[in-house]
Amino acid sequence: MEYNVPTVADLVAKGETPEVLFWVGCAGSFDDRYKRVTKAFVKILNHVGTKFAVLGPEETCTGDPARRAGNEFLFQMQAMANIQVLDGYGIKKIVTACPHCFNTIKNEYPELGGNYEVVHHSTFLQELIDQGKITIEGGGSFKGKKITFHDSCYLGRANNIYEAPREVLKVLDADLVEMKRCKTKGLCCGAGGAQMFKDAEKGNKEINIERTEEALATGAKIIAAGCPFCMTMMTDGVKNKEKESEVQVKDLAELIAEAKEL
Amino acid sequence: MQYLPQIAFLAVFAVFGYFIYQRISRIKSNILLGQYQDFSDNSGDRWQTMLLVAFGQQKMFKRLIPATFHFFIYVGFVIINLEVLEFVLDGLFGTHRLFAPLLGAAYTFALNFFEFLAVLVVLACVVFLIRRNVLKVERFTKPEMKGWPAMDGNLILIIEVILMAAIFTMNATDQLLQEAGHDGYPQTGKFFFSSLFMPLFDGLSVSALVVVERVAWWFHIIGILAFALYVTYSKHLHIFMAFPNTYFSRLHAKGKMENMPVVTNEVKMMLGMPVENADAPPAEVGRFGAKDAIDLSWKNLMESYACTECGRCTSECPANLTGKQLSPRKVMMDTRDRIEEIGEAVAKGGTAGEDGKALLGDYITKEEINACTSCNACVEACPVNINPLDIILQMRRYVAMEESGSPASWNAMFQNVETNFAPWKFAPTDRFNWADELKTEK
């Protein structure tokens, strides 16, 4: 199948507007691992026929890591520039596979003049499932497999989204197991608050190792995630534990796309 | 001479009342040393939050065992203190058990219920003392709990046990005096729990019983007043501060950081965008972010007084769990210690910061604030909706914008965002390459 990745600029040139803008995010654009998530999500969007578009080269960092690291000027410069682009195209609805982008655009852009309906791709996928647009006959290749979901802080505690990703996993008819610390008590992967962009402070353990041990203790063969930073941290953790041949870290969109053999 | 006890009672009340009033005024003015922040919206939601979280103990019950025992003390505190009303009236009018003849059987029932609660309070205090001192529950033995905080926690529990013991002593001797038909001790019916202590005082003469009963009575009322004063210097102040603190909860999504309108105005000017109130004289721009306690908002400071150092925040902090210096509880304790210190200086006519000290640097280190993952586990864990994360992020703002003192890799990240529009060093022109890769995929 030929996959379409229209940019908003393309659509506008044709006098059209997208139903929803897919905000790819920096990790989804540049990180080799997370690019696979971006592609999986685009395949799903193509499959269900959503009229979407991306900003492509016009997209820039939301400013989240700068803000969390204390650089409010830089954050607001980024935010204002992004809002100008989004408003210039009349964007109303945004979907993103990054909880940090999601949180920033949804909760922090309104005060700076950017008002959009923002959904995380877990919620978006759940809606597609609820509408019957994504069905997986007999559960597909993940049927009966042990999967555990790692809550991203910026999806969970930050925005109270705990059920959507789990609902998405249910369509796989897998054996969903929970870690000891999950949902409101979920343990951070260690990368939030701009930690992704620096070494950890001195301690006696890396946070991602602590979390990975907990995930491995469930006996799950797949650690499902919904965040690019969690993806990196958990993947590194699994490698550190030398379990990469047995345990995979996968994004929700990848699991759906694989089950659908997209 | 017959009015002497009443005069003494009034004097005791006046003295304690004065000191408690002084202390409350100081705490209020300390809190108001913080920066203005508006919490006047959504009063309906705010009342509801206060009812659920403070009054209803909703978040406490995430940990069932401490929540249950804490509930005993909480209910005991609220309900047993109804009896204080009778104490006060008796003390003022020189009466004894004013309500006993008026309420009859209801009085007997009420006091038996109070005694039952008192038993639960003692049980809970003993369990808590064991958790702190024998089981040494980890969150009570962290470095910031050494010394005074540990002592404070134990003192509170011991004082509560002693106050309850005074009630039992008072009621037991009272019943013996009733049995002896001593003048001025009206019949109240049997109080089950205190009657168990009656054999302890059996051999005493009537006059000795009166002495014990009166001492216990005075001890209890003075004890309560002294406790009330002590509480204002203690982490135990949460019994009052939990209520305003939950009322002034942040109601927005936890992921949202507070905006800095002063930065918004500057950024808009830089971008040539219209600025609100552009004609107004430029407001005095204070510090960007927080260096000292007075740079924080009044709400941050109120939270520091509402913290009872339970450590649920710290026990769920991923940084603390993995051995980093950061402890969200310590952030709150340091904030309170520092604003107390500043308040003391201001009360003496001085100014904040004249001691050359600051919250950041002298109390909280950069290493601590740099360890935070902003995961909100501490915020979620706090039974009274305290937000240590907000303080940490304000300090990071100070370090980044006033000192340019962020870790080198963060400065590199800032530069990447500025020049490449991504936190990593990738060429902006490569941002859309993934789409080409997808199109060539089979």
Side-chain angles (χ1 to χ4, degrees):
Chain A
M1 177 173 174
E2 182 84 358
Y3 295 110
N4 259 327
V5 194
T7 61
V8 186
D10 291 342
L11 287 192
V12 169
K14 286 193 274 179
E16 296 172 32
T17 49
E19 258 170 59
V20 59
L21 174 84
F22 172 30
W23 183 275
V24 181
C26 299
S29 303
F30 292 115
D31 178 76
D32 282 335
R33 178 66 190 87
Y34 221 65
K35 280 200 275 187
R36 302 210 317 254
V37 176
T38 304
K39 291 170 195 169
F41 190 59
V42 164
K43 287 176 183 176
I44 295 170
L45 292 173
N46 271 271
H47 173 75
V48 298
T50 304
K51 194 173 168 194
F52 78 101
V54 296
L55 283 173
E58 287 185 277
E59 192 184 284
T60 71
C61 175
T62 61
D64 160 81
R67 186 172 231 200
R68 264 75 201 164
N71 194 334
E72 183 73 9
F73 274 99
L74 183 52
F75 161 72
Q76 294 207 11
M77 292 292 284
Q78 287 301 116
M80 296 284 188
N82 283 325
I83 291 167
Q84 282 184 332
V85 171
L86 292 167
D87 286 353
Y89 285 128
I91 298 299
K92 301 273 182 288
K93 183 173 179 180
I94 298 172
V95 62
T96 176
C98 174
H100 297 262
C101 298
F102 164 72
N103 178 67
T104 301
I105 302 173
K106 179 174 192 280
N107 296 321
E108 298 182 349
Y109 279 18
E111 272 175 327
L112 303 171
N115 292 287
Y116 319 98
E117 182 193 347
V118 191
V119 290
H120 183 253
H121 77 318
S122 58
T123 309
F124 194 84
L125 289 171
Q126 188 210 339
E127 283 167 4
L128 290 174
I129 290 165
D130 290 349
Q131 292 160 5
K133 290 184 182 167
I134 296 179
T135 51
I136 295 169
E137 298 302 323
S141 47
F142 299 107
K143 187 179 167 65
K145 273 205 174 175
K146 249 190 191 180
I147 301 183
T148 190
F149 179 69
H150 162 77
D151 288 281
S152 152
C153 306
Y154 275 76
L155 201 57
R157 279 186 293 270
N159 287 292
N160 288 320
I161 297 176
Y162 301 105
E163 292 312 318
R166 290 173 170 82
E167 290 297 317
V168 171
L169 292 172
K170 274 186 194 157
V171 84
L172 301 173
D173 202 12
D175 177 15
L176 201 56
V177 287
E178 291 291 354
M179 286 182 249
K180 202 166 144 245
R181 286 172 284 202
C182 64
K183 300 182 186 173
T184 57
K185 285 179 165 272
L187 183 74
C188 178
C189 70
Q195 296 296 334
M196 187 71 194
F197 306 99
K198 77 184 225 334
D199 288 330
E201 300 304 308
K202 202 161 87 258
N204 53 31
K205 196 174 193 177
E206 294 291 340
I207 296 170
N208 67 325
I209 303 299
E210 171 84 9
R211 185 55 164 171
T212 304
E213 285 171 358
E214 196 171 2
L216 295 176
T218 64
K221 293 298 157 213
I222 293 167
I223 300 169
C227 169
F229 297 161
C230 298
M231 169 73 77
T232 303
M233 299 306 273
M234 297 307 283
T235 307
D236 287 353
V238 171
K239 273 185 202 152
N240 180 283
K241 293 274 153 195
E242 297 178 343
K243 293 279 181 202
E244 64 266 42
S245 55
E246 302 155 48
V247 179
Q248 292 174 297
V249 186
K250 283 189 181 286
D251 178 80
L252 299 165
E254 290 181 305
L255 291 168
I256 295 292
E258 275 183 45
K260 298 267 335 158
E261 292 171 5
L262 294 174
Chain B
M1 276 304 280
Q2 74 177 95
Y3 293 110
L4 196 63
Q6 284 156 270
I7 293 165
F9 183 83
L10 258 176
V12 165
F13 243 80
V15 169
F16 278 105
Y18 173 77
F19 285 115
I20 292 170
Y21 173 78
Q22 287 287 318
R23 181 62 189 150
I24 290 172
S25 305
R26 168 66 69 81
I27 292 170
K28 187 181 167 199
S29 64
N30 283 357
I31 289 173
L32 293 176
L33 287 171
Q35 304 295 310
Y36 174 75
Q37 195 180 352
D38 186 17
F39 283 88
S40 61
D41 59 333
N42 297 313
S43 63
D45 290 347
R46 296 187 175 285
W47 282 108
Q48 197 186 352
T49 306
M50 187 178 86
L51 280 174
L52 280 174
V53 177
F55 195 74
Q57 310 268 294
Q58 187 190 40
K59 290 177 86 184
M60 276 301 289
F61 277 91
K62 287 183 184 177
R63 296 193 188 186
L64 198 60
I65 293 170
T68 306
F69 288 108
H70 179 271
F71 190 73
F72 292 164
I73 299 182
Y74 166 63
V75 172
F77 173 79
V78 172
I79 295 179
I80 297 172
N81 274 341
L82 290 175
E83 205 186 343
V84 173
L85 177 67
E86 190 186 41
F87 274 63
V88 172
L89 294 176
D90 278 346
L92 288 176
F93 299 126
T95 50
H96 183 70
R97 297 204 184 259
L98 182 67
F99 291 139
L102 298 174
L103 298 175
Y107 187 85
T108 312
F109 175 79
L111 264 91
N112 269 296
F113 185 55
F114 295 164
E115 285 195 349
F116 171 64
L117 293 174
V119 170
L120 292 184
V121 169
V122 171
L123 171 72
C125 289
V126 169
V127 168
F128 284 161
L129 282 166
I130 292 172
R131 282 168 60 87
R132 280 173 183 264
N133 301 290
V134 180
L135 301 177
K136 297 194 189 291
V137 172
E138 204 190 346
R139 61 192 160 103
F140 298 123
T141 59
K142 294 270 172 182
E144 68 268 21
M145 297 306 288
K146 299 277 183 280
W148 164 245
M151 171 75 103
D152 186 20
N154 283 328
L155 267 179
I156 292 286
L157 293 166
I158 292 165
I159 294 172
E160 279 169 3
V161 171
I162 293 174
L163 286 176
M164 295 304 114
I167 289 186
F168 290 125
T169 306
M170 184 180 84
N171 287 354
T173 46
D174 197 298
Q175 287 172 84
L176 285 168
L177 287 163
Q178 289 175 37
E179 278 178 10
H182 190 68
D183 197 29
Y185 285 83
Q187 295 298 318
T188 58
K190 188 179 174 186
F191 304 146
F192 176 74
F193 291 102
S194 57
S195 69
L196 301 175
F197 294 96
M198 282 161 64
L200 281 178
F201 307 101
D202 229 0
L204 296 182
S205 68
V206 166
S207 53
L209 281 173
V210 171
V211 170
V212 175
E213 194 278 332
R214 284 292 84 195
V215 168
W217 189 91
W218 279 96
F219 184 86
H220 190 248
I221 192 73
I222 293 175
I224 285 176
L225 290 169
F227 186 68
L229 178 59
Y230 175 79
V231 159
T232 62
Y233 290 92
S234 156
K235 61 112 183 169
H236 208 58
L237 192 55
H238 81 289
I239 58 178
F240 300 112
M241 297 305 286
F243 294 89
N245 197 60
T246 47
Y247 179 86
F248 293 112
S249 292
R250 293 167 186 79
L251 299 174
H252 53 65
K254 287 192 192 69
K256 178 181 174 294
M257 269 176 75
E258 300 294 342
N259 193 35
M260 291 181 72
V262 52
V263 172
T264 309
N265 281 345
E266 292 210 15
V267 169
K268 280 184 174 171
M269 276 188 274
M270 281 160 72
L271 296 173
M273 293 164 72
V275 177
E276 279 169 51
N277 305 322
D279 300 332
E284 194 192 324
V285 177
R287 264 175 200 149
F288 289 122
K291 179 188 186 190
D292 209 346
I294 56 161
D295 301 326
L296 298 168
S297 80
W298 67 267
K299 170 62 176 160
N300 298 131
L301 300 178
M302 175 184 268
E303 289 179 346
S304 77
Y305 282 107
C307 174
T308 196
E309 303 169 10
C310 73
R312 289 186 183 206
C313 51
T314 294
S315 73
E316 306 221 356
C317 171
N320 192 279
L321 282 170
T322 54
K324 279 83 176 175
Q325 291 285 318
L326 175 64
S327 163
R329 169 175 55 190
K330 178 177 172 290
V331 170
M332 302 316 301
M333 292 166 72
D334 286 342
T335 301
R336 179 177 51 209
D337 289 349
R338 179 56 185 159
I339 199 63
E340 276 284 312
E341 191 174 48
I342 293 173
E344 189 66 35
V346 169
K348 287 178 182 153
T351 55
E354 65 181 1
D355 54 4
K357 297 206 293 193
L359 182 59
L360 179 66
D362 294 295
Y363 288 80
I364 299 172
T365 61
K366 281 191 199 172
E367 184 178 338
E368 291 168 66
I369 61 168
N370 286 344
C372 174
T373 68
S374 72
C375 77
N376 270 301
C378 55
V379 182
E380 180 75 39
C382 181
V384 294
N385 287 353
I386 293 170
N387 188 332
L389 173 59
D390 190 52
I391 296 177
I392 294 169
L393 291 172
Q394 289 181 67
M395 293 192 162
R396 282 192 184 173
R397 281 173 167 168
Y398 174 79
V399 174
M401 292 190 283
E402 295 278 0
E403 286 190 329
S404 301
S406 303
S409 26
W410 276 357
N411 285 331
M413 178 264 286
F414 296 153
Q415 208 177 357
N416 288 334
V417 173
E418 270 171 57
T419 52
N420 305 321
F421 312 117
W424 296 284
K425 204 170 181 134
F426 289 111
T429 45
D430 291 342
R431 185 176 274 274
F432 202 32
N433 288 357
W434 62 268
D436 299 329
E437 293 162 25
L438 181 66
K439 283 169 191 161
T440 56
E441 226 178 68
K442 282 287 156 254

